[in-house]
Amino acid sequence: HSIKMAGFRDDQKCTFPLQSIQDVVKLFRIELERGDEPNLALLSIVVGSVENLLTCNRYLSPRNETESEQNVKPNFPILELSTVEALYCKFESQIKGCVDVTQYRGNSYASRELVKKTSDIIWSSLTRSYCKDRAHLQTLYSYLTGNKLDCFGVAFAVVAACQILGYSDVHLALSEDHAWVIFGKDGEETAEVTWHGKGNEDKRGQPVCGPTAQKSWLYLNGHPVKCNRHTEVAALVSGINPSISATADSKELATLQQKLLWLLYDQGDLKNYPMAIGNLGDLEEINPTPGRSSPIDLFHQAIFAAQTHYANHHVYPYTYLGGFFYRNGQYKDALEAWANAADVIRKYNYGREDEEIYKEFLEIANDLIPHLVKVVSNQAIEAPEKAESNCLHDPQCFAHLLRFYDGLCAWEEESSTPVLHIGWARPLVATISKFPAKTRSHVDIKISEEKEEKVDDEKNGSVNRRHSHGRRDSLQKNDVKNEEDIVKTKVNGSTNVSDKKAGK
Ligand SMILES: CC1(C)CN=C(N2CCN(c3ncnc4sc(CCF)cc34)CC2)S1
């Protein structure tokens, strides 16, 4: 049967051959600024081709071939239109050849059968067995030249295929460690289209619902990133992997990713995508763009996006920020960011497919914080005159640490799987014992409000409670006179009675 092969439009063709970062940025700009939808398959093939040339087969420009050139510096490859067109047509004919849309004619929305069928086509043509978490398996280039895709790559390929079949309602849904699709009227339907993790039976074709989806971090309890075509382009760009080896990155590819993320940022396409903003913050830390937001600003924008669009149910915005502060020796701020991350995870129950975030908190608790505490305790010894500003003498640092662990405990409560075990206890004891008793004694462990009145009534006069941000609630009788050198710090975030009455 004759398949109408849609070639590329002139404004797409005119950018070829692509031979610089700017050429690729220009192609993306054309795709993103035109009225119609950006072509996901085209952009994925282009990015995958460039990534392959810059990371997999160390592209050598003629200039570099002389023996004298010791440091092999790849220039930008030349990407011909014919290469991209051939791969695109291969994908288009495979998809259109296998899906008989006449069977679904009429209903303008995709059906679960259509989505499942599309997923089956991608799924069945994957190489039997390969290392699923290898790098550079996230694009259609990898699929079309090597029949390999990673978990995210399968979900993206299904959405790109449905776009080619004309279903503009099929979109990518992204959590912090999984991807699935939404479709139907108002995107109300959901379907698994890929696998997750190791040793888990795939649930392809099934909706994302039920108890597993409710309280588990993996599905973000109903707060995933629901993409439109532009956000899907942002996911594709976020997925660019500049790593050449465990120790080397392609500078050209990292620069391309950074420029494409700024293009999407300026178009407003990252506003509801915290991880993409975080990725941009990481790139800006490595290679700052003059005149652009600082990494800290970007990480705060990611946090704001998560608070605004996702009821503050995302953990990674806080671990992006915490990691930045840690790398830059701003340890009090790192502890606060990690405590805020724990305030998010406390909203979930830990389940067997949440290993990724478990590993994240394990590394923070048992590796990063112990290292942080060792560094500051050495500082206290080497520079005793700076003791006041030292983390170990700051009750708010101790309060952040307690809030961090309290969040992990709350995460474990009512969970099917335990979180903490003896392996967590040793680093915890080592960390707590580095804080002198004087510091620990200044932390005021606030209890939840309903009990607070009871405690207040029973207690004759209460200690003065100072919010962790310095605002004092009230001075009660028999307060110590020199209260200014006793920092009362709330451990948890609950507002206290007077605030409540003040309607704050
Ligand atoms: C603070 C961190 C440890 C640094 N990098 C992090 N990530 C790197 C980029 N990541 C991502 N970045 C953009 N989009 C997505 S969608 C997704 C789930 C699989 F589809 C992951 C992910 C995952 C999180 S979190």
Side-chain angles (χ1 to χ4, degrees):
H1 47 90
S2 75
I3 300 170
K4 191 176 79 56
M5 298 307 278
F8 298 138
R9 296 185 321 274
D10 291 345
D11 63 340
Q12 288 164 328
K13 287 181 177 178
C14 74
T15 54
F16 284 87
L18 304 176
Q19 38 199 341
S20 71
I21 291 171
Q22 284 318 321
D23 288 348
V24 180
V25 173
K26 186 178 168 203
L27 174 66
F28 269 77
R29 187 189 302 280
I30 289 169
E31 282 299 296
L32 288 166
E33 284 175 349
R34 53 192 305 272
D36 196 358
E37 300 183 342
N39 185 323
L40 299 179
L42 166 64
L43 297 178
S44 182
I45 289 167
V46 166
V47 157
S49 309
V50 170
E51 179 167 318
N52 174 271
L53 287 163
L54 284 174
T55 61
C56 300
N57 51 8
R58 304 291 288 133
Y59 176 79
L60 292 177
S61 74
R63 187 167 55 79
N64 288 343
E65 258 149 18
T66 52
E67 304 70 58
S68 65
E69 189 79 48
Q70 293 316 313
N71 54 339
V72 167
K73 279 197 312 309
N75 283 343
F76 206 84
I78 297 179
L79 187 54
E80 298 291 349
L81 175 62
S82 55
T83 310
V84 173
E85 239 170 4
L87 290 171
Y88 184 88
C89 289
K90 176 178 178 182
F91 186 62
E92 188 177 28
S93 54
Q94 182 198 15
I95 296 301
K96 288 187 169 176
C98 294
V99 178
D100 173 7
V101 281
T102 52
Q103 190 185 338
Y104 309 99
R105 196 175 294 294
N107 37 15
S108 54
Y109 294 122
S111 64
R112 183 170 302 281
E113 293 67 35
L114 181 276
V115 168
K116 177 62 166 58
K117 172 73 180 157
T118 308
S119 173
D120 287 344
I121 294 168
I122 306 289
W123 189 267
S124 59
S125 51
L126 293 176
T127 308
R128 274 302 118 244
S129 73
Y130 57 95
C131 177
K132 304 291 191 296
D133 44 23
R134 225 181 62 195
H136 315 305
L137 301 183
Q138 78 285 21
T139 71
L140 288 183
Y141 177 86
S142 169
Y143 173 67
L144 294 163
T145 60
N147 295 98
K148 293 180 191 65
L149 283 171
D150 60 20
C151 157
F152 165 82
V154 169
F156 185 89
V158 170
V159 175
C162 289
Q163 179 183 35
I164 284 178
L165 293 171
Y167 292 100
S168 57
D169 59 310
V170 180
H171 286 292
L172 199 55
L174 300 170
S175 77
E176 296 188 304
D177 187 41
H178 191 31
W180 59 94
V181 303
I182 55 176
F183 62 97
K185 189 169 175 303
D186 302 330
E188 277 151 7
E189 300 300 323
T190 60
E192 299 273 8
V193 291
T194 184
W195 76 89
H196 176 258
K198 286 195 169 70
N200 302 316
E201 198 53 35
D202 78 83
K203 298 174 270 190
R204 289 182 315 111
Q206 298 171 33
V208 166
C209 65
T212 50
Q214 286 324 308
K215 292 282 281 181
S216 74
W217 167 77
L218 185 69
Y219 290 98
L220 291 178
N221 199 5
H223 299 288
V225 177
K226 295 176 180 165
C227 296
N228 59 29
R229 289 288 178 250
H230 284 219
T231 331
E232 279 143 15
V233 174
L236 161 67
V237 171
S238 270
I240 290 174
N241 186 341
S243 54
I244 294 170
S245 68
T247 55
D249 276 5
S250 156
K251 193 162 169 41
E252 292 78 7
L253 203 49
T255 305
L256 171 62
Q257 181 178 38
Q258 199 168 353
K259 288 184 183 299
L260 289 175
L261 283 172
W262 278 123
L263 171 65
L264 289 153
Y265 178 96
D266 292 338
Q267 309 247 341
D269 296 332
L270 304 190
K271 276 197 170 47
N272 68 343
Y273 196 169
M275 287 185 289
I277 303 171
N279 287 335
L280 187 51
D282 277 350
L283 290 163
E284 284 294 313
E285 179 188 3
I286 296 163
N287 187 13
T289 309
R292 285 288 192 178
S293 309
S294 67
I296 289 184
D297 280 352
L298 288 165
F299 296 135
H300 281 131
Q301 289 173 40
I303 289 166
F304 180 73
Q307 291 170 338
T308 310
H309 299 286
Y310 306 111
N312 199 30
H313 268 70
H314 293 194
V315 175
Y316 283 152
Y318 297 104
T319 49
Y320 272 111
L321 182 62
F324 177 85
F325 282 136
Y326 175 80
R327 289 189 296 273
N328 290 276
Q330 295 172 254
Y331 294 136
K332 177 172 178 179
D333 294 321
L335 285 168
E336 182 174 18
W338 289 331
N340 291 335
D343 275 345
V344 172
I345 202 68
R346 70 180 305 127
K347 301 171 182 178
Y348 293 103
N349 289 337
Y350 180 51
R352 62 187 187 79
E353 293 201 64
D354 294 337
E355 289 90 349
E356 279 311 305
I357 204 64
Y358 175 87
K359 289 188 285 187
E360 193 68 29
F361 280 111
L362 193 73
E363 183 191 23
I364 292 168
N366 300 348
D367 181 355
L368 305 187
I369 291 179
H371 174 75
L372 176 163
V373 157
K374 193 162 58 66
V375 167
V376 294
S377 61
N378 292 340
Q379 279 171 353
I381 295 162
E382 283 149 19
E385 71 284 355
K386 293 192 192 128
E388 287 69 55
S389 66
N390 187 289
C391 223
L392 298 176
H393 296 89
D394 184 341
Q396 289 184 332
C397 287
F398 191 62
H400 295 325
L401 179 78
L402 295 181
R403 190 158 58 93
F404 172 76
Y405 275 100
D406 187 52
L408 297 178
C409 294
W411 183 26
E412 176 163 5
E413 282 151 27
E414 291 132 48
S415 291
S416 55
T417 324
V419 174
L420 303 169
H421 54 66
I422 184 71
W424 291 77
R426 203 177 315 285
L428 169 56
V429 168
T431 299
I432 285 189
S433 60
K434 291 278 191 327
F435 284 86
K438 189 171 181 307
T439 308
R440 302 200 312 269
S441 69
H442 288 170
V443 173
D444 170 9
I445 310 282
K446 270 181 86 70
I447 50 181
S448 61
E449 194 160 287
E450 50 282 357
K451 280 182 275 177
E452 191 159 27
E453 274 126 9
K454 192 167 75 56
V455 169
D456 275 357
D457 296 344
E458 277 165 7
K459 259 168 40 181
N460 59 351
S462 67
V463 290
N464 67 326
R465 286 196 174 78
R466 192 187 283 271
H467 282 268
S468 56
H469 41 69
R471 191 165 47 78
R472 187 184 304 117
D473 304 327
S474 60
L475 279 182
Q476 308 292 325
K477 62 179 171 25
N478 78 21
D479 265 321
V480 283
K481 289 295 157 277
N482 58 342
E483 102 284 339
E484 63 276 356
D485 64 4
I486 291 186
V487 175
K488 289 296 168 195
T489 304
K490 270 193 333 151
V491 173
N492 60 18
S494 66
T495 48
N496 82 333
V497 178
S498 57
D499 276 2
K500 223 55 182 172
K501 283 189 185 123
K504 287 200 178 68

